[in-house]
Amino acid sequence: MELATPIKTLGRAYAMKTRLLEKLGLYTIEDLLYYIPYRYEDMSLISEISMVQAGENITVQGTVTATKNVFTRRRNFTIQKITIEDTTGEIECTWFNQIYLLRTVHKGDFLSVAGRVEQTGNKKSLFVKEYEILKTKDMPPTHTGRLVPVYSETRGLTSKWLRNRISDILTSKDVKIEDFFPKDFLEKYNLVDLKTALSQIHFPISISDAEIARKRLSFEELFITNMSSLKRKKEWEQKLHTSPFKVLGFASKIQALWESLPFQLTLAQNRAIDEISSDLARDIPMNRMLQGDVGSGKTVVASIAIYISHLNGFQSALMAPTEILAQQHFETVSKLLKPLGIKVKLFTSKIKPKENERFDIAIGTHALLQKSIKFKNLGLVVIDEQQRFGVEQRAILREKGNNPHFLSMTATPIPRTIFLTVYGDLNLSYLDEMPKGRKEIKTWLVPEEKRDAGYAWIKTQIKKTSAQVFIVCPFIEISETITTVKAATEEFERLSKDIFADLKLGLLHGKMKSSQKEEVLSKFKNGKLDILVATPVVEVGIDIPSATIIIIEGAERFGLAQLHQLRGRVGRSDKESYCLLFTQATTETARQRLKYLERMHLGAQLAELDLRLRGPGEVYGTLQHGTPFLKIASFSDTPLIKETRDAVQNLFPNLSSYPLLQEKLKSNIIQKVTPD
Ligand code: ADP
Ligand code: MG
């Protein structure tokens, strides 16, 4: 069997769980082996029964002498008691609600039981956490008597089940685990081989063994991620060619567009435009990421690139993740470029192209990917919030042109270490400056006892200055399902009835039809609503300059960079804007973390801080769809990141003496997961 063998072909025990396994993203043997425990329960102390002490977490082993089910008066509540004895004495072990246990465990069985010793009066008993029947006394235990791995579970798929299967696979002679790093490489970087690492990460003898295994697997993950990005870069540069755009030749026209803008571009915008222009003038297609906080003015920069493409006789495509964003881009770009006689078209799931329709710029959602949308000569692709699209979607757009230039945009600040590892194939332009006249958003962490005062203040603001308010409900789950929608709906009803009864409120969530969403948003935009209650996953980029107050509920659930992105929905005009953070967090650390937002106003800084305080999960968390791209390693582990980057630099691109590594890179799943 290979690592790539699908789990469901391994037999009935596996096949029955296929759906649950897939829910956890586990398809192949490899997936299962790389399903890393998130902690270990220390049950390694095996005690003689006579020696156990109350309060200890230990394992005892002995022969079953008695078993019974105890029925209590309460329905749905039973107790199982099994007595075991070894040469030193006997002890009663207790389970709750395991009514079928006595079908599995019988008198005479040799049992290994792990749990906590409790004492009532003179009598000690063991409250069981894990147990297993050992066929022979010297058989090594899997669930007891050791550091026991604990996995993140899903209903119907327990750690115990996973442990059994992973242990089977690791001890099976049929499963080949070959290391794609050669011996000398492992020695050089002081890493254990793959088989050892996988065995030890699941079933370590000691915590330090687990750490050694984790280091190897983290190294491998960072190495492969980084290597893949360099490989993509090389392939891009070697295979792809395009006809260079003329830029200088059109200088006066570009200048004219510049001057027609109702504002002056920031220095950062100018720098980005220069960087993009020189990319466009090369014969290798551009592959650049434009990063900038919400409101830093990425769309104008993209529009100028689109204009250059047009001047060179090429069409452009601009793809955004939601209809509302696409609509917004359509309006902005039209305003800028239509006066120059450029034909801008919007495509969404509802707006389909007509036969032989002509356009210079196609703006839309993933509807742009449809076959029916054809380009004569697509020269530039702009992707907004690129992390919400996959590699395949980029590829489809590329196929619609002849190696078009790519400009990806994101408002998610990406710390430098992460950028270099994951996006080694992209060049970066960074808008580190906000347009003039923008004021910092006044931010307060509001203690719960001041909530009512907060509401009262908002009412006054609405009455006095006709302020408009966003209320963002707490983040509950990654993709917006019924639970989130329900929470938002309830909050909306509570606020409408009890708090802001005399004001006009609207509700916005991801499960609404897009026509409904547009209606609510346009009402809000036109001042017909005072307050918009919304879930956090919707419309990160919506631009409503008249909104000046945002309340974020359950702020402790967000990363700092996410909160910064959320608050960026206000402060889009020259009016004073405010962000009120509410939190249920009670610990001082959690509150201190949130307090950084009161004084820090640069996304990139907040992202670096997040990385230090809570790790990368928080930087990316959940506002961004898409899988977090590291499963084992941590982006906070700067020394290891540096070491792997050096290792990659040393090797790349001469991989010919590493055939297994080349294979690994080809099939590499991380590549699929990584936003390209
Ligand atoms: P984002 O980077 O979030 O996509 P946008 O491109 O939507 O930002 O720009 C936000 C707003 O700022 C828009 O209304 C845009 O017209 C305006 N804007 C962009 N650049 C400037 C500038 N240099 N000066 C003033 N306003 C600007
Ligand atoms: Mg934008």
Side-chain angles (χ1 to χ4, degrees):
M1 276 180 292
E2 310 286 320
L3 288 184
T5 306
I7 303 174
K8 60 181 167 208
T9 64
L10 296 183
R12 232 176 86 79
Y14 294 86
M16 273 165 45
K17 301 278 185 190
T18 306
R19 282 223 350 255
L20 296 172
L21 288 162
E22 289 178 357
K23 208 166 141 192
L24 295 176
L26 307 176
Y27 297 87
T28 63
I29 293 188
E30 179 167 19
D31 294 341
L32 203 51
L33 290 178
Y34 278 84
Y35 196 61
I36 305 301
Y38 70 90
R39 67 182 181 89
Y40 303 94
E41 183 98 57
D42 190 353
M43 294 295 180
S44 55
L45 184 65
I46 303 181
S47 175
E48 289 182 334
I49 289 175
S50 65
M51 302 293 283
V52 301
Q53 303 284 334
E56 277 182 331
N57 272 310
I58 43 107
T59 297
V60 290
Q61 300 184 325
T63 310
V64 177
T65 57
T67 69
K68 67 176 170 200
N69 261 318
V70 183
F71 293 91
T72 61
R73 275 206 209 143
R74 267 194 288 153
R75 276 202 290 150
N76 304 333
F77 189 71
T78 63
I79 302 172
Q80 289 67 42
K81 290 185 183 291
I82 293 180
T83 309
I84 63 170
E85 70 170 19
D86 65 9
T87 52
T88 69
E90 63 172 27
I91 190 166
E92 190 177 73
C93 307
T94 307
W95 284 255
F96 298 99
N97 287 333
Q98 304 283 315
I99 188 94
Y100 299 115
L101 183 69
L102 303 194
R103 288 195 193 163
T104 334
V105 180
H106 302 100
K107 249 192 227 174
D109 285 345
F110 187 70
L111 216 56
S112 185
V113 193
R116 191 180 155 82
V117 182
E118 302 283 338
Q119 181 145 14
T120 27
N122 249 345
K123 192 176 153 198
K124 289 193 194 98
S125 64
L126 188 74
F127 282 53
V128 178
K129 286 190 186 151
E130 293 282 357
Y131 78 96
E132 63 199 299
I133 300 170
L134 298 181
K135 292 210 182 75
T136 60
K137 288 188 186 179
D138 48 7
M139 193 177 138
T142 309
H143 310 283
T144 59
R146 58 173 317 129
L147 287 173
V148 181
V150 182
Y151 302 91
S152 120
E153 305 177 348
T154 185
R155 209 189 153 88
L157 203 64
T158 60
S159 278
K160 185 161 193 170
W161 190 91
L162 287 161
R163 226 176 275 138
N164 273 327
R165 302 287 89 79
I166 291 171
S167 162
D168 286 351
I169 291 172
L170 283 170
T171 49
S172 158
K173 291 195 179 61
D174 298 335
V175 180
K176 272 198 307 235
I177 301 178
E178 257 183 313
D179 204 335
F180 45 88
F181 288 145
K183 263 216 175 66
D184 55 340
F185 184 95
L186 295 176
E187 267 163 31
K188 180 166 176 193
Y189 294 102
N190 199 10
L191 304 169
V192 289
D193 68 276
L194 183 56
K195 172 99 201 232
T196 309
L198 289 171
S199 306
Q200 286 189 8
I201 196 83
H202 292 288
F203 299 105
I205 305 288
S206 64
I207 287 294
S208 74
D209 274 1
E211 272 159 15
I212 288 169
R214 177 173 293 274
K215 185 194 164 190
R216 142 79 209 220
L217 297 172
S218 302
F219 186 103
E220 151 186 343
E221 187 177 39
L222 290 166
F223 182 93
I224 301 267
T225 306
N226 196 188
M227 187 70 104
S228 304
S229 71
L230 290 189
K231 201 168 150 244
R232 285 198 303 271
K233 184 186 178 88
K234 185 146 177 272
E235 280 165 4
W236 183 278
E237 289 181 347
Q238 280 184 342
K239 279 202 218 128
L240 305 183
H241 288 279
T242 188
S243 51
F245 284 4
K246 233 166 58 175
V247 180
L248 284 179
F250 293 114
S252 61
K253 289 201 156 151
I254 298 167
Q255 182 74 23
L257 172 60
W258 223 301
E259 278 162 9
S260 76
L261 296 173
F263 43 71
Q264 231 190 339
L265 292 174
T266 63
L267 282 178
Q269 283 171 316
N270 276 313
R271 197 178 347 105
I273 292 167
D274 282 346
E275 286 160 352
I276 291 168
S277 302
S278 61
D279 281 0
L280 294 175
R282 293 173 69 199
D283 58 0
I284 297 162
M286 167 166 75
N287 195 13
R288 183 169 287 275
M289 163 111 77
L290 178 61
Q291 191 187 316
D293 278 7
V294 173
S296 58
K298 296 184 288 294
T299 319
V300 187
V301 174
S303 302
I304 291 176
I306 289 173
Y307 186 47
I308 295 174
S309 165
H310 175 76
L311 290 172
N312 281 275
F314 284 92
Q315 292 169 298
S316 300
L318 195 171
M319 184 163 72
T322 67
E323 297 202 354
I324 290 169
L325 287 177
Q327 174 74 37
Q328 208 169 278
H329 282 310
F330 174 68
E331 284 162 19
T332 315
V333 176
S334 299
K335 214 189 291 168
L336 276 174
L337 300 183
K338 247 192 177 150
L340 301 165
I342 299 172
K343 207 161 175 310
V344 189
K345 257 314 276 183
L346 178 68
F347 295 110
T348 63
S349 53
K350 272 160 289 152
I351 313 173
K352 301 261 152 55
K354 300 185 198 86
E355 195 69 34
N356 289 325
E357 177 144 24
R358 296 204 28 155
F359 53 83
D360 302 313
I361 303 166
I363 296 179
T365 55
H366 42 260
L368 286 181
L369 302 171
Q370 299 168 72
K371 278 214 183 67
S372 59
I373 296 185
K374 295 195 180 75
F375 293 85
K376 276 216 180 60
N377 54 355
L378 176 61
L380 169 67
V381 174
V382 182
I383 301 184
D384 195 16
E385 299 301 334
Q386 65 100 32
Q387 66 281 8
R388 308 228 340 220
F389 294 99
V391 180
E392 313 78 44
Q393 289 163 319
R394 280 179 65 117
I396 293 172
L397 278 178
R398 186 185 306 154
E399 297 295 304
K400 287 183 185 251
N402 186 17
N403 296 334
H405 295 282
F406 268 85
L407 180 65
S408 307
M409 305 200 285
T410 181
T412 308
I414 303 170
R416 206 182 130 72
T417 43
I418 301 187
F419 191 88
L420 291 174
T421 304
V422 181
Y423 300 106
D425 55 333
L426 295 182
N427 296 306
L428 178 65
S429 292
Y430 181 40
L431 301 182
D432 57 357
E433 184 189 359
M434 295 299 260
K436 267 210 203 78
R438 295 280 163 77
K439 294 192 174 142
E440 273 175 5
I441 300 163
K442 290 223 164 87
T443 303
W444 296 295
L445 181 62
V446 185
E448 199 52 38
E449 63 270 18
K450 293 210 176 140
R451 178 180 283 275
D452 290 336
Y455 286 147
W457 176 79
I458 286 172
K459 271 190 221 168
T460 327
Q461 290 292 315
I462 294 176
K463 298 242 161 82
K464 266 202 342 223
T465 70
S466 38
Q468 285 185 288
V469 184
F470 281 110
I471 298 184
V472 180
C473 298
F475 167 75
I476 301 180
E477 58 215 327
I478 294 180
S479 60
E480 191 163 313
T481 63
I482 287 307
T483 325
T484 310
V485 170
K486 189 162 162 269
T489 313
E490 282 170 6
E491 179 69 358
F492 169 72
E493 278 161 8
R494 181 182 80 89
L495 293 169
S496 313
K497 262 200 233 110
D498 305 342
I499 314 282
F500 300 117
D502 50 344
L503 296 169
K504 289 177 290 285
L505 279 74
L507 173 66
L508 185 70
H509 62 68
K511 287 275 179 288
M512 284 161 60
K513 285 204 208 103
S514 56
S515 59
Q516 286 174 311
K517 282 196 219 167
E518 273 159 33
E519 196 189 317
V520 173
L521 271 173
S522 81
K523 270 191 183 163
F524 192 52
K525 223 172 188 164
N526 300 328
K528 293 196 185 111
L529 294 174
D530 303 306
I531 298 177
L532 186 64
V533 180
T535 52
V537 292
V538 285
E539 324 311 351
V540 189
I542 47 176
D543 186 20
I544 300 186
S546 54
T548 52
I549 301 176
I550 185 165
I551 292 189
I552 303 174
E553 292 284 351
E556 76 281 2
R557 295 177 181 226
F558 297 94
L560 295 178
Q562 287 178 299
L563 288 166
H564 177 68
Q565 257 181 291
L566 279 173
R567 82 172 154 190
R569 291 182 206 191
V570 299
R572 301 186 140 237
S573 67
D574 49 9
K575 276 192 235 143
E576 194 76 70
S577 291
Y578 306 89
C579 170
L580 274 56
L581 303 169
F582 285 109
T583 174
Q584 257 72 55
T586 47
T587 68
E588 197 42 36
T589 339
R591 301 185 63 84
Q592 282 309 323
R593 188 179 73 90
L594 293 172
K595 273 191 152 312
Y596 280 110
L597 283 156
E598 294 183 349
R599 47 181 203 274
M600 283 174 97
H601 294 272
L602 256 184
Q605 269 174 16
L606 285 161
E608 298 285 355
L609 191 66
D610 247 352
L611 198 57
R612 267 201 287 129
L613 296 176
R614 297 223 297 191
E618 299 311 318
V619 183
Y620 289 100
T622 29
L623 269 191
Q624 319 306 331
H625 294 212
T627 329
F629 26 78
L630 288 184
K631 287 195 278 189
I632 308 169
S634 160
F635 276 124
S636 332
D637 192 347
T638 324
L640 190 65
I641 290 175
K642 182 156 181 350
E643 199 183 0
T644 50
R645 283 233 326 276
D646 290 347
V648 168
Q649 302 289 345
N650 275 337
L651 218 59
F652 194 80
N654 303 312
L655 298 174
S656 46
S657 45
Y658 297 79
L660 290 175
L661 180 58
Q662 278 178 314
E663 273 311 299
K664 174 83 184 166
L665 284 168
K666 253 187 234 151
S667 66
N668 159 33
I669 37 165
I670 297 165
Q671 209 166 4
K672 250 189 287 168
V673 174
T674 307
D676 184 332

